Each structure stands twice: as structure tokens, then as C-alpha cells.
Amino acid sequence: MTLDDLRRAAVAQTLFTPTTLQRALDALGFVQADPIRAPARAQDLTLRQRVAGYRAGDLERRYSRLDVHEDFFVNYGFVTGAVQALMHPRGGPRPWTAARGRHVHALLDFVRTRGSVHPRQVDEHFSHGTVTNYWGGSSSATTHLLDAMHYRGLLRVVRREAGIRIYEAHEHEPGPRGIATRRAHLDALVDVIVRNYAPLPAASLSNLVRRLRFAVPQWAGELERTLQRARRRLAHARVEGVDWYWPAEQPLPVAVNDVVRVLAPFDPVVWDRRRFEILWGWAYRFEAYTPAPKRKLGYYALPLLWRDRVIGWGNVSMEHGTLQSDFGYIASQPPQGRIFRRALEEELNRLSVFLGLES
């Protein structure tokens, strides 16, 4: 086992044969979401590598016909019904207060009566006022309560209108009562993590398993034991002083293709910054929320994958109906030769089609 083997295993998940959207979602179990569109949202940039003929916005357009739900896993995004069933019914960080409980029951009755609701309709009906949100600004108290009810599984997002979540009432099957079934659910959630992000260094595996406290706060006290079981049952090896883990049934692939991929900032291949630096020897940073004078890579720099190496980054935009791109390279210069230039051109053509710039 070598670092080259691990690099090839890490990129194999991006370069597998494209399939249908539902099958890709089933294989991943979870796709992280981000609202920034530069040039497309992160979930679309992630899925275009894995779905044949995927176009920006396909997930949102087809959402109501897919077995997929907006929900919180280790991050906020889209989970399949099978993954969601492992997490719910979900509690919150603390019980509702008596007053908040009355608001919840009244709002839930209102949603059930209407079928599906826009937050504006709820706000107009209840006029709950404002609360301070996590970033220190002011948010509608109705929106805040809808978010909390969605997190606890009382509501589901049925669609979005101009980016706004439209909710309907939702009920989950009863949760597991026996400890063996509960542990099986937790192990299955770890398997989703590992399927997305493996091979994982030990520290990253620990971090991700502990992030399941957001997915299953009701079982947060069991996550350390879940981590211990994962270390025993996953395939693992020590490479250059670091312990690595991956699915027991998944052999590490070795194939390398002459392919360029422009990746999403939250693509599973590059999401884990610790792993990124070990495998590719440099620090990638997402700088959309970094003040412009302090940015080194760009507002929405997209990691640039060539064969089994992330060799740089690109800033891509649409101007007057054409794709504009600017690339930077860790080695200061791009790889020499026609093979790389042709592969990069092919990827930019694929990106243009994905964005609807070419038929």
C-alpha cells in the first residue's frame, strides 16, 4: 500500500462510469449543498461528474420525482430516503419549551390544513416577529421555527420557489428501540460517510463520525463507541505513518485515466482538507467568505484534477453567453504536452454543455 494507491482510490469515485441521477444518489447516499452559484451550485457541480448528461439545476427540477430529501447529515444537503430513515425520528439539542411547543403544534396544524406552505404564508398567519440568527442578524421567527421543525423531522421540503423552501408535514416511522438496532443504524451511517469520503486518515474518520451528532443528536452519547467499532470493522492500513480506513468490501482501485476534472469545492474528493494536504501536498481553501484582499485562489476556486493529482484550481464564470476560465497551478505552469491541453479543453466543453451554453 502506497500514497499513490490512496490517491487513485480517492479520485476513483469521481471517475466512475456516469449513471442515472437516482442511481448516483443511491450510491452516494448524501450530496452536500451550497447556495452559491459560481458558475453553478456545489450539488450540481458534484453530480455532473457522476450522472450522464447532467445539467445544472437538474436536481432541483427533478427533486419531487426522486427519492431524495433536503436534510442534515454531516453537513446540510440531500439524502436518500434510506439514509434519512436511519436518522429519524430525530430529537433536537434540547426539548421544546412549553410556549414553543404550543407554537409548533399550531404551526403543524396549519401546514397540515394547507398541504404545503411558503414561509411567507405562515408568517402572515402567525406574525411571530424576529429572532437573532446564528450570524448575528435578524431572521423571521417563523422561518427559524420552520427550520427547527424541519430539522426535527416534523416537516419536509417538497420543493423550492426562487430558492425558498416550501414545506409540508411529515411523519417518520418509530425509531429503533433495541440497542442492537440502534447500533446497526449508527454503523450504517458511518458506512455512508466512508463510502463518500474514503480512503480516510484516522483523524478525519474521527472528525466525521463525531459530526454525526448533527444527524442523530438523540444518539450523540454513542458516537465514541460507534467510532471504535468502525476502526475494527473497516479495512485499514498504515501508510507513511498515517492510519487509513476504507470500506471493507471495496478494493483500492489503481487505474489512472488521462482525464481533467473541474471539481466542486465540496466534492467528496476534496472536501476533507486534512486528507487533501496529505495526498496532494498543498493547501486548498474555499475563499468565498474571505475578504477579497486576502484571497489567494479566488472567490469560488474550483480544484483542478488531472489524472490522480489535484494540480491547481480554476475560477470559472459565464460572460455574454460564453464560458470564461482562469487557471492557477501549484507548479506555476500547467503540465506540458497535447494530452493535458486536449483533456482540459474537453472538460471545459463538458462544463459549457452542463451550464447550457452549448447544445
Side-chain angles (χ1 to χ4, degrees):
M1 181 68 59
T2 68
L3 209 56
D4 281 341
D5 293 327
L6 296 170
R7 273 190 285 265
R8 291 163 185 164
V11 303
Q13 60 183 306
T14 289
L15 302 181
F16 65 64
T17 303
T19 183
T20 65
L21 179 51
Q22 185 63 63
R23 287 179 179 175
L25 292 169
D26 290 340
L28 292 166
F30 165 72
V31 178
Q32 185 173 342
D34 188 81
I36 297 175
R37 193 182 335 220
R41 295 186 179 96
Q43 55 267 34
D44 290 324
L45 289 166
T46 296
L47 288 168
R48 85 176 184 93
Q49 305 290 0
R50 297 158 170 85
V51 178
Y54 190 86
R55 300 292 185 269
D58 275 356
L59 180 59
E60 184 174 356
R61 284 188 289 269
R62 297 168 59 185
Y63 176 85
S64 63
R65 304 191 301 275
L66 295 165
D67 177 24
V68 68
H69 309 268
E70 288 196 36
D71 207 337
F72 210 105
F73 183 51
V74 292
N75 293 293
Y76 189 82
F78 299 87
V79 300
T80 60
V83 173
Q84 190 177 62
L86 295 170
M87 303 187 294
H88 288 275
R90 174 193 287 156
R94 59 188 63 85
W96 304 116
T97 64
R100 177 53 63 91
R102 289 193 294 273
H103 286 155
V104 167
H105 287 299
L107 198 155
L108 199 53
D109 287 342
F110 178 78
V111 176
R112 286 172 176 151
T113 300
R114 295 297 183 94
S116 62
V117 298
H118 189 289
R120 184 176 56 250
Q121 295 173 288
V122 182
D123 200 42
E124 290 171 352
H125 183 80
F126 290 98
S127 298
H128 283 152
T130 60
V131 294
T132 300
N133 65 26
Y134 296 112
W135 293 270
S138 182
S139 301
S140 163
T142 299
T143 299
H144 187 77
L145 183 54
L146 287 168
D147 286 348
M149 292 172 64
H150 174 221
Y151 176 73
R152 296 192 186 211
L154 300 174
L155 302 174
R156 74 175 296 265
V157 177
V158 290
R159 66 182 184 279
R160 286 187 178 242
E161 293 181 1
I164 304 298
R165 298 172 188 162
I166 307 301
Y167 296 98
E168 71 176 12
H170 190 60
E171 293 185 10
H172 294 278
E173 296 294 325
R177 295 185 177 181
I179 188 169
T181 306
R182 188 162 64 247
R183 287 176 177 173
H185 279 220
L186 285 164
D187 290 346
L189 290 171
V190 172
D191 289 343
V192 176
I193 288 173
V194 178
R195 192 164 67 238
N196 272 268
Y197 298 111
L200 279 165
S204 297
L205 176 65
S206 298
N207 175 57
L208 280 162
V209 172
R210 288 172 181 138
R211 285 186 68 86
L212 284 175
R213 67 188 183 276
F214 303 116
V216 284
Q218 69 274 27
W219 301 331
E222 299 193 34
L223 293 180
E224 285 303 319
R225 288 186 291 274
T226 302
L227 176 59
Q228 292 168 15
R229 289 196 303 276
R231 288 172 176 156
R232 291 193 299 267
R233 63 190 181 81
L234 294 171
H236 60 275
R238 176 165 284 237
V239 179
E240 297 188 13
V242 177
D243 290 323
W244 293 81
Y245 295 85
W246 62 90
E249 74 281 1
Q250 177 182 316
L252 290 174
V254 297
V256 176
N257 298 313
D258 292 330
V259 176
V260 168
R261 293 286 191 240
V262 176
L263 301 177
F266 307 115
D267 191 287
V269 174
V270 298
W271 179 87
D272 178 7
R273 305 301 190 242
R274 178 188 291 107
R275 186 184 80 161
F276 188 104
E277 293 187 31
I278 295 173
L279 293 182
W280 292 295
W282 61 281
Y284 167 74
R285 296 291 182 265
F286 180 63
E287 299 178 326
Y289 303 109
T290 302
K294 296 184 178 181
R295 292 177 191 147
K296 297 180 180 180
L297 306 182
Y299 170 72
Y300 203 78
L302 306 173
L304 183 67
L305 176 68
W306 165 234
R307 293 175 174 162
D308 63 348
R309 303 293 177 113
V310 181
I311 62 170
W313 63 93
N315 286 279
V316 180
S317 61
M318 294 182 288
E319 296 181 15
H320 309 296
T322 61
L323 188 70
Q324 303 295 318
S325 59
D326 179 44
F327 292 97
Y329 299 90
I330 292 303
S332 300
Q333 297 293 327
Q336 300 301 306
R338 289 183 302 172
I339 295 177
F340 173 77
R341 290 196 299 271
R342 183 167 60 246
L344 179 58
E345 181 180 352
E346 290 171 352
E347 172 67 347
L348 291 175
N349 288 338
R350 287 191 294 268
L351 193 55
S352 293
V353 173
F354 158 77
L355 294 169
L357 302 178
E358 297 179 12
S359 59

